Amino acid sequence: MNDNLHQLRCIGCGSLISGSQAQPDFRCAHCGDLFEVDYPGWLERKGPDRPNAGALKWLWRERRCSDEALDGSGVWRFRELLPILDNFGNAVTLQEGNTPLYHLPRNAKALGIDQLYAKHQGMNPSGSFKDTGMTSALSVAKERGFKWVACASTGNTSAAMAAYAARAGLNSLVLIPDGKIAWGKLSQAMDYGAVTCQLKTDFDGCVKVLTEIVRQAPIYLLNSVNPYRLEGQKTPALEIAEALDWNVPDHLIVPGGNLANSSALGKGFREMVDLGLVARIPRISVIQAEGANPMVRHLAAGPDAPFVPVEAHTRATAIRIGNPASWRKAERVVHDTGGWCLDVTEAEIAVAKAEIGAEGLGCEPASAVTLAGLKKLRAKSVVDGGQTVVLLLTGHTLKDADYTIDFHRGTLLKDEETGGPDSKISAEIAALRRNAIAVEANPKAVLDLLKGQIE
Ligand code: F0G
């Protein structure tokens, strides 16, 4: 690891340590808080010593046409901004990143917003945003000579970790909550060869068990408390800025679970400003599910209130987290960027997910909280119609096909969640549902069904 180029700074007490001094659980030995990667030389390089922003932008774009595996990665093509390895030859890549920034014309029109985009991180190799952080942190594990890596997960981290570990020839251990993860994700961990343990507890319980394990055995922890994960996860911020010709959006909306991703993106934008690559930082808002909303409660309780974990319940299983490790980092990002933190109901998530599906994109339920949250922010008039808004879609729609099928069959939500069949949201759901129809196996029967619809 390149200790000369980076150090780790505790976000609680400010202690500075070298990368190789980190404890196995990545907690600060003084105050127990989390670290972030810090590049001490950057801010000192002022005036002519500053990296040439124009040259970097040109280089990063040129790399997209290169045949080198590292250049083809949407994380490592920005490697000047993540000098965390001694040797970039140790990078383990699956050509992650370089994901599309889609315009959402129908949702934009419905909300009266001109420029509404989705940065679709579900279009990564293992189908979620976790790949960008896994390539960076697992590469550190490989460079440091670990033979085993591990994570506790609601499903996507484990899928990504298992895939990258397989590529690197490392062994991987996955702890997942029994019965509460989507099949798509579980199947990936199995397929990529992880040792997958389903524990009779929730995600927060899995984290506790794993923290003990890494203290006792030489296993490298790849949960998002590992600050190297965030270095890869900051790169979508660079891609968003690049896609908008180095103009940043007014507002970025991110789902909140363990609360690391919002802070990674905030770090990405902050570093771009520090290095003169962009002029400002967007507002970053974090949206949680109503049944897994400890951050929303915390911010509502006022600045000095302690953080109180909740028992989490939501069908958006990816963000079914009651005791998020990175709440302090996320709180800082929301506060510093002037963003909001709010929660959305199960019915609002389901409707938003179907609306993203109807754009021809789709996403997993946890990602859809972003659109559901934007609708609320628009209703409160805190988001202006003339603003550029980006939703961060974190996972692919095929991750949780059961959820989608249940929605379209009408078996997903209970009456108490929709307010009954006559409610406004039930009408929205009815308009979006597209259940499969049983039809006789002849052309006439199919065409009869379409009568009046084909002109
Ligand atoms: N969206 C998806 C699809 C996720 O899988 C997760 C987290 C989040 C959003 C929340 O991101 O934790 O950085 O706030 N999934 C983790 C996992 C916890 O184990 O896969 P966060």
Coordinates of all heavy atoms in Angstrom, one line a residue, residues 388-455:
T388 N -31.0 20.8 -12.2 CA -30.6 19.5 -12.7 C -30.5 18.5 -11.6 O -29.8 18.8 -10.6 CB -29.2 19.6 -13.4 OG1 -29.3 20.6 -14.4 CG2 -28.7 18.3 -14.0
V389 N -31.2 17.4 -11.7 CA -31.3 16.5 -10.6 C -30.8 15.1 -11.1 O -31.2 14.7 -12.2 CB -32.7 16.3 -10.0 CG1 -32.8 15.3 -8.9 CG2 -33.3 17.7 -9.6
V390 N -30.0 14.5 -10.3 CA -29.5 13.1 -10.6 C -29.9 12.1 -9.5 O -29.7 12.4 -8.3 CB -28.0 13.1 -10.8 CG1 -27.5 11.6 -11.0 CG2 -27.5 13.9 -12.0
L391 N -30.6 11.1 -9.9 CA -30.9 10.0 -9.0 C -29.9 8.9 -9.1 O -29.5 8.5 -10.2 CB -32.3 9.4 -9.3 CG -33.5 10.3 -9.5 CD1 -34.7 9.5 -9.9 CD2 -33.7 11.1 -8.3
L392 N -29.4 8.5 -8.0 CA -28.4 7.4 -8.0 C -29.1 6.0 -7.9 O -29.6 5.7 -6.8 CB -27.3 7.5 -6.9 CG -26.1 6.7 -7.3 CD1 -25.0 7.6 -8.0 CD2 -25.6 5.9 -6.2
L393 N -29.2 5.3 -9.0 CA -29.9 4.0 -9.0 C -28.8 3.0 -8.7 O -27.8 2.8 -9.4 CB -30.5 3.7 -10.3 CG -31.6 4.7 -10.8 CD1 -32.3 4.2 -12.0 CD2 -32.6 5.0 -9.7
T394 N -28.9 2.3 -7.5 CA -27.8 1.6 -7.0 C -27.8 0.1 -7.4 O -26.7 -0.5 -7.4 CB -27.9 1.6 -5.4 OG1 -29.3 1.4 -5.1 CG2 -27.4 2.9 -4.9
G395 N -29.0 -0.4 -7.8 CA -29.0 -1.9 -8.1 C -29.8 -2.2 -9.3 O -30.8 -1.5 -9.6
H396 N -29.5 -3.3 -10.0 CA -30.2 -3.7 -11.2 C -31.6 -4.3 -10.9 O -31.7 -5.0 -9.9 CB -29.3 -4.8 -11.9 CG -29.7 -5.0 -13.4 ND1 -30.8 -5.8 -13.7 CD2 -29.1 -4.6 -14.5 CE1 -30.8 -5.8 -15.0 NE2 -29.9 -5.1 -15.5
T397 N -32.5 -4.1 -11.8 CA -33.9 -4.6 -11.5 C -33.9 -6.2 -11.4 O -34.8 -6.7 -10.6 CB -34.8 -4.2 -12.7 OG1 -36.2 -4.6 -12.3 CG2 -34.5 -4.8 -14.0
L398 N -33.0 -6.9 -12.0 CA -33.1 -8.4 -11.9 C -32.6 -8.9 -10.6 O -32.7 -10.1 -10.3 CB -32.3 -9.0 -13.1 CG -32.9 -8.8 -14.4 CD1 -32.0 -9.3 -15.5 CD2 -34.3 -9.4 -14.5
K399 N -32.0 -8.0 -9.7 CA -31.5 -8.5 -8.4 C -32.7 -9.0 -7.6 O -32.5 -9.9 -6.8 CB -31.0 -7.3 -7.7 CG -29.6 -6.8 -8.2 CD -28.5 -7.7 -7.6 CE -27.2 -7.1 -7.9 NZ -26.1 -7.8 -7.2
D400 N -33.9 -8.4 -7.8 CA -35.0 -8.8 -6.9 C -36.3 -8.9 -7.8 O -37.2 -8.1 -7.7 CB -35.2 -7.8 -5.8 CG -36.1 -8.3 -4.7 OD1 -36.7 -9.3 -4.9 OD2 -36.3 -7.6 -3.7
A401 N -36.3 -10.0 -8.7 CA -37.4 -10.1 -9.6 C -38.7 -10.5 -8.8 O -39.8 -10.2 -9.3 CB -37.0 -11.2 -10.6
D402 N -38.6 -11.2 -7.7 CA -39.8 -11.6 -6.9 C -40.6 -10.3 -6.5 O -41.8 -10.3 -6.6 CB -39.4 -12.3 -5.6 CG -38.9 -13.7 -5.9 OD1 -39.1 -14.2 -7.0 OD2 -38.3 -14.3 -5.0
Y403 N -39.9 -9.3 -6.1 CA -40.6 -8.0 -5.7 C -41.4 -7.5 -6.9 O -42.5 -7.1 -6.8 CB -39.5 -7.0 -5.3 CG -40.0 -5.7 -4.8 CD1 -40.1 -5.4 -3.4 CD2 -40.4 -4.7 -5.7 CE1 -40.6 -4.1 -3.0 CE2 -40.9 -3.5 -5.3 CZ -41.0 -3.2 -3.9 OH -41.4 -2.0 -3.5
T404 N -40.7 -7.5 -8.1 CA -41.4 -6.9 -9.2 C -42.6 -7.7 -9.6 O -43.7 -7.1 -9.9 CB -40.3 -6.9 -10.4 OG1 -39.1 -6.3 -9.9 CG2 -40.9 -6.0 -11.6
I405 N -42.4 -9.0 -9.6 CA -43.6 -9.9 -10.0 C -44.7 -9.7 -9.0 O -45.9 -9.6 -9.4 CB -43.1 -11.3 -10.2 CG1 -42.2 -11.4 -11.4 CG2 -44.3 -12.3 -10.3 CD1 -41.5 -12.8 -11.6
D406 N -44.4 -9.7 -7.7 CA -45.4 -9.5 -6.7 C -46.2 -8.2 -7.0 O -47.4 -8.1 -6.8 CB -44.9 -9.5 -5.3 CG -44.5 -10.9 -4.9 OD1 -44.8 -11.9 -5.6 OD2 -43.7 -11.1 -3.9
F407 N -45.4 -7.1 -7.3 CA -46.0 -5.8 -7.6 C -47.0 -5.9 -8.7 O -48.2 -5.5 -8.6 CB -45.0 -4.7 -7.9 CG -45.6 -3.4 -8.3 CD1 -46.0 -2.5 -7.3 CD2 -45.8 -3.1 -9.6 CE1 -46.6 -1.3 -7.7 CE2 -46.3 -1.9 -10.0 CZ -46.8 -1.0 -9.0
H408 N -46.6 -6.5 -9.8 CA -47.5 -6.5 -11.0 C -48.6 -7.5 -10.9 O -49.7 -7.3 -11.5 CB -46.6 -6.8 -12.3 CG -45.8 -5.6 -12.6 ND1 -46.3 -4.5 -13.2 CD2 -44.4 -5.4 -12.4 CE1 -45.3 -3.6 -13.3 NE2 -44.2 -4.1 -12.9
R409 N -48.4 -8.5 -10.0 CA -49.5 -9.4 -9.7 C -50.5 -8.8 -8.7 O -51.6 -9.4 -8.5 CB -49.0 -10.8 -9.2 CG -48.4 -11.6 -10.3 CD -48.1 -13.0 -9.7 NE -47.6 -13.8 -10.8 CZ -46.7 -14.8 -10.7 NH1 -46.3 -15.1 -9.4 NH2 -46.3 -15.5 -11.7
G410 N -50.1 -7.8 -8.1 CA -51.0 -7.1 -7.0 C -50.9 -7.8 -5.7 O -51.8 -7.6 -4.9
T411 N -49.8 -8.6 -5.4 CA -49.8 -9.3 -4.1 C -48.7 -8.7 -3.2 O -48.4 -9.2 -2.2 CB -49.4 -10.8 -4.4 OG1 -48.2 -10.9 -5.2 CG2 -50.6 -11.5 -5.1
L412 N -48.1 -7.6 -3.7 CA -46.9 -7.0 -2.9 C -47.4 -6.3 -1.6 O -46.9 -6.6 -0.5 CB -46.1 -6.1 -3.8 CG -44.9 -5.5 -3.1 CD1 -43.8 -6.6 -3.1 CD2 -44.4 -4.3 -3.9
L413 N -48.4 -5.4 -1.8 CA -48.7 -4.5 -0.7 C -50.0 -4.9 0.0 O -50.9 -5.4 -0.7 CB -48.8 -3.1 -1.2 CG -47.5 -2.5 -1.8 CD1 -47.8 -1.3 -2.8 CD2 -46.5 -2.1 -0.7
K414 N -50.1 -4.6 1.3 CA -51.3 -4.8 2.0 C -52.2 -3.6 2.0 O -51.7 -2.5 1.8 CB -51.0 -5.1 3.5 CG -50.1 -6.4 3.7 CD -50.2 -6.7 5.1 CE -49.1 -7.8 5.4 NZ -47.9 -7.3 5.9
D415 N -53.5 -3.7 2.2 CA -54.4 -2.5 2.2 C -53.9 -1.4 3.1 O -54.0 -0.2 2.8 CB -55.8 -3.0 2.6 CG -56.6 -3.5 1.3 OD1 -56.0 -3.4 0.2 OD2 -57.7 -3.9 1.5
E416 N -53.4 -1.8 4.3 CA -53.0 -0.8 5.2 C -51.8 0.0 4.7 O -51.6 1.1 5.2 CB -52.8 -1.3 6.7 CG -51.8 -2.5 6.8 CD -52.4 -3.8 6.8 OE1 -53.4 -4.0 6.1 OE2 -51.8 -4.8 7.4
E417 N -51.1 -0.6 3.8 CA -49.9 0.1 3.2 C -50.3 1.1 2.1 O -49.6 2.1 1.8 CB -48.9 -0.9 2.7 CG -48.2 -1.6 3.8 CD -47.3 -2.8 3.3 OE1 -47.8 -3.6 2.5 OE2 -46.2 -2.8 3.7
T418 N -51.5 0.8 1.4 CA -51.9 1.6 0.3 C -53.0 2.6 0.7 O -53.4 3.5 0.0 CB -52.4 0.7 -0.8 OG1 -53.5 0.0 -0.3 CG2 -51.3 -0.1 -1.4
G419 N -53.6 2.3 1.9 CA -54.8 3.1 2.3 C -56.0 2.6 1.7 O -57.1 3.3 1.6
G420 N -56.0 1.3 1.2 CA -57.2 0.6 0.7 C -57.4 0.9 -0.8 O -56.7 1.7 -1.4
P421 N -58.3 0.1 -1.4 CA -58.4 0.2 -2.9 C -58.9 1.5 -3.5 O -58.6 1.8 -4.7 CB -59.5 -0.9 -3.2 CG -60.1 -1.3 -1.9 CD -59.2 -0.8 -0.8
D422 N -59.5 2.4 -2.7 CA -59.9 3.7 -3.2 C -58.9 4.8 -3.0 O -59.2 5.9 -3.4 CB -61.3 4.1 -2.6 CG -62.3 3.0 -2.8 OD1 -62.3 2.4 -3.9 OD2 -63.1 2.7 -1.9
S423 N -57.8 4.5 -2.5 CA -56.8 5.6 -2.2 C -56.1 6.1 -3.5 O -56.2 5.4 -4.5 CB -55.7 5.1 -1.2 OG -54.9 4.2 -1.9
K424 N -55.5 7.2 -3.4 CA -54.9 7.8 -4.6 C -53.7 6.9 -5.0 O -53.5 6.6 -6.2 CB -54.3 9.2 -4.2 CG -53.7 10.0 -5.3 CD -53.4 11.4 -4.9 CE -52.5 12.1 -5.8 NZ -51.1 11.8 -5.6
I425 N -53.0 6.4 -4.1 CA -51.8 5.6 -4.4 C -52.2 4.2 -5.0 O -51.6 3.7 -5.9 CB -50.8 5.4 -3.3 CG1 -49.4 5.2 -3.8 CG2 -51.2 4.3 -2.3 CD1 -48.3 5.7 -3.0
S426 N -53.4 3.7 -4.6 CA -53.9 2.5 -5.2 C -54.3 2.7 -6.7 O -54.0 1.9 -7.5 CB -55.2 2.0 -4.5 OG -54.8 1.5 -3.2
A427 N -54.8 3.9 -7.0 CA -55.1 4.2 -8.4 C -53.8 4.3 -9.2 O -53.7 3.8 -10.3 CB -55.8 5.6 -8.5
E428 N -52.7 4.9 -8.6 CA -51.4 5.0 -9.3 C -50.9 3.6 -9.5 O -50.4 3.3 -10.6 CB -50.4 5.8 -8.5 CG -50.7 7.3 -8.4 CD -49.7 8.0 -7.4 OE1 -48.6 7.5 -7.3 OE2 -50.1 8.9 -6.8
I429 N -51.0 2.7 -8.5 CA -50.5 1.3 -8.7 C -51.3 0.6 -9.8 O -50.7 0.0 -10.6 CB -50.7 0.6 -7.3 CG1 -49.7 1.2 -6.3 CG2 -50.5 -0.9 -7.5 CD1 -49.9 0.7 -4.9
A430 N -52.6 0.8 -9.8 CA -53.4 0.1 -10.8 C -53.0 0.5 -12.2 O -52.9 -0.3 -13.2 CB -54.9 0.4 -10.6
A431 N -52.7 1.8 -12.4 CA -52.3 2.3 -13.7 C -50.9 1.8 -14.1 O -50.6 1.7 -15.3 CB -52.2 3.8 -13.7
L432 N -50.1 1.4 -13.2 CA -48.7 0.9 -13.5 C -48.6 -0.6 -13.6 O -47.6 -1.1 -14.2 CB -47.7 1.4 -12.4 CG -47.4 2.9 -12.4 CD1 -46.9 3.3 -11.0 CD2 -46.4 3.2 -13.5
R433 N -49.6 -1.3 -13.1 CA -49.4 -2.8 -13.0 C -49.6 -3.4 -14.4 O -50.4 -3.0 -15.2 CB -50.5 -3.4 -12.1 CG -50.0 -3.4 -10.6 CD -51.1 -4.0 -9.8 NE -51.4 -5.3 -10.2 CZ -52.6 -5.9 -10.1 NH1 -53.6 -5.2 -9.4 NH2 -52.9 -7.1 -10.5
R434 N -48.7 -4.3 -14.7 CA -48.7 -5.0 -16.0 C -48.6 -6.5 -15.8 O -47.6 -7.1 -16.2 CB -47.6 -4.6 -16.9 CG -47.6 -3.1 -17.3 CD -48.6 -2.9 -18.5 NE -48.6 -1.5 -18.9 CZ -49.4 -0.5 -18.3 NH1 -50.2 -0.9 -17.2 NH2 -49.3 0.7 -18.7
N435 N -49.6 -7.1 -15.2 CA -49.5 -8.6 -15.0 C -49.5 -9.4 -16.3 O -50.1 -8.9 -17.2 CB -50.6 -9.0 -14.0 CG -50.4 -10.3 -13.4 OD1 -49.3 -10.9 -13.5 ND2 -51.4 -10.9 -12.8
A436 N -48.9 -10.5 -16.3 CA -48.9 -11.4 -17.4 C -50.3 -11.9 -17.6 O -51.0 -12.2 -16.6 CB -47.9 -12.5 -17.3
I437 N -50.8 -12.1 -18.8 CA -52.2 -12.5 -19.1 C -52.2 -13.9 -19.7 O -51.4 -14.1 -20.6 CB -52.8 -11.5 -20.1 CG1 -52.6 -10.0 -19.5 CG2 -54.3 -11.8 -20.3 CD1 -52.8 -9.0 -20.6
A438 N -53.1 -14.8 -19.2 CA -53.2 -16.1 -19.8 C -54.1 -16.0 -21.0 O -55.2 -15.5 -20.9 CB -53.8 -17.1 -18.8
V439 N -53.6 -16.4 -22.2 CA -54.3 -16.2 -23.5 C -54.2 -17.5 -24.2 O -53.2 -18.2 -24.2 CB -53.7 -15.1 -24.3 CG1 -54.6 -14.8 -25.5 CG2 -53.5 -13.8 -23.5
E440 N -55.3 -17.9 -25.0 CA -55.3 -19.1 -25.8 C -54.1 -18.9 -26.9 O -53.8 -17.8 -27.3 CB -56.6 -19.1 -26.7 CG -57.8 -19.5 -25.8 CD -57.8 -20.9 -25.2 OE1 -57.3 -21.8 -26.0 OE2 -58.1 -21.0 -24.0
A441 N -53.6 -20.1 -27.3 CA -52.4 -20.1 -28.1 C -52.8 -19.9 -29.6 O -52.6 -20.8 -30.4 CB -51.6 -21.4 -28.0
N442 N -53.5 -18.8 -29.9 CA -53.8 -18.5 -31.3 C -53.8 -17.0 -31.6 O -54.0 -16.2 -30.7 CB -55.1 -19.2 -31.8 CG -56.3 -18.6 -31.1 OD1 -56.6 -17.4 -31.4 ND2 -56.9 -19.3 -30.2
P443 N -53.4 -16.6 -32.8 CA -53.2 -15.2 -33.1 C -54.5 -14.3 -32.8 O -54.4 -13.2 -32.3 CB -52.9 -15.1 -34.6 CG -52.5 -16.5 -35.0 CD -53.1 -17.4 -34.0
K444 N -55.7 -14.9 -33.1 CA -56.9 -14.1 -32.9 C -57.1 -13.8 -31.5 O -57.4 -12.6 -31.1 CB -58.1 -15.0 -33.4 CG -59.4 -14.2 -33.4 CD -60.6 -15.0 -33.9 CE -61.9 -14.2 -33.8 NZ -62.1 -13.7 -32.4
A445 N -56.8 -14.7 -30.6 CA -57.0 -14.4 -29.2 C -56.1 -13.3 -28.7 O -56.5 -12.4 -28.0 CB -56.7 -15.7 -28.4
V446 N -54.9 -13.3 -29.2 CA -53.9 -12.3 -28.8 C -54.3 -10.9 -29.4 O -54.3 -9.9 -28.7 CB -52.5 -12.6 -29.3 CG1 -51.5 -11.5 -28.9 CG2 -52.0 -13.9 -28.6
L447 N -54.7 -11.0 -30.7 CA -55.1 -9.7 -31.4 C -56.4 -9.1 -30.7 O -56.6 -7.9 -30.6 CB -55.3 -9.9 -32.9 CG -54.0 -10.0 -33.6 CD1 -54.2 -10.4 -35.0 CD2 -53.2 -8.6 -33.6
D448 N -57.3 -10.0 -30.3 CA -58.6 -9.6 -29.6 C -58.2 -8.8 -28.4 O -58.9 -7.8 -28.1 CB -59.5 -10.8 -29.3 CG -60.3 -11.3 -30.5 OD1 -60.3 -10.5 -31.5 OD2 -60.9 -12.3 -30.3
L449 N -57.2 -9.3 -27.7 CA -56.8 -8.6 -26.5 C -56.3 -7.2 -26.8 O -56.4 -6.3 -25.9 CB -55.6 -9.4 -25.9 CG -55.2 -9.2 -24.5 CD1 -56.1 -9.9 -23.6 CD2 -53.8 -9.7 -24.3
L450 N -55.7 -7.0 -27.9 CA -55.2 -5.7 -28.3 C -56.2 -4.7 -29.0 O -55.8 -3.6 -29.4 CB -53.9 -5.8 -29.1 CG -52.8 -6.6 -28.5 CD1 -51.6 -6.8 -29.5 CD2 -52.2 -5.9 -27.3
K451 N -57.4 -5.2 -29.1 CA -58.4 -4.5 -29.9 C -58.5 -3.1 -29.3 O -58.6 -2.9 -28.1 CB -59.8 -5.2 -29.8 CG -60.6 -5.0 -31.1 CD -61.8 -5.9 -31.1 CE -61.7 -7.1 -32.0 NZ -62.7 -8.1 -31.7
G452 N -58.6 -2.1 -30.2 CA -58.7 -0.7 -29.8 C -57.4 -0.1 -29.4 O -57.3 1.1 -29.3
Q453 N -56.3 -0.9 -29.3 CA -55.0 -0.3 -28.9 C -54.1 -0.1 -30.0 O -53.2 0.7 -30.0 CB -54.4 -1.2 -27.8 CG -55.1 -1.3 -26.5 CD -54.4 -2.1 -25.5 OE1 -53.2 -1.8 -25.2 NE2 -55.0 -3.1 -24.9
I454 N -54.3 -1.0 -31.1 CA -53.4 -0.8 -32.3 C -54.1 0.0 -33.3 O -55.2 -0.3 -33.7 CB -53.1 -2.2 -32.9 CG1 -52.4 -3.1 -31.8 CG2 -52.2 -2.1 -34.1 CD1 -52.1 -4.5 -32.3
E455 N -53.5 1.0 -33.8 CA -54.1 1.9 -34.8 C -53.8 1.5 -36.2 O -52.7 1.0 -36.4 CB -53.7 3.4 -34.5 CG -54.3 3.9 -33.3 CD -53.6 5.2 -32.8 OE1 -52.8 5.8 -33.5 OE2 -53.9 5.5 -31.6

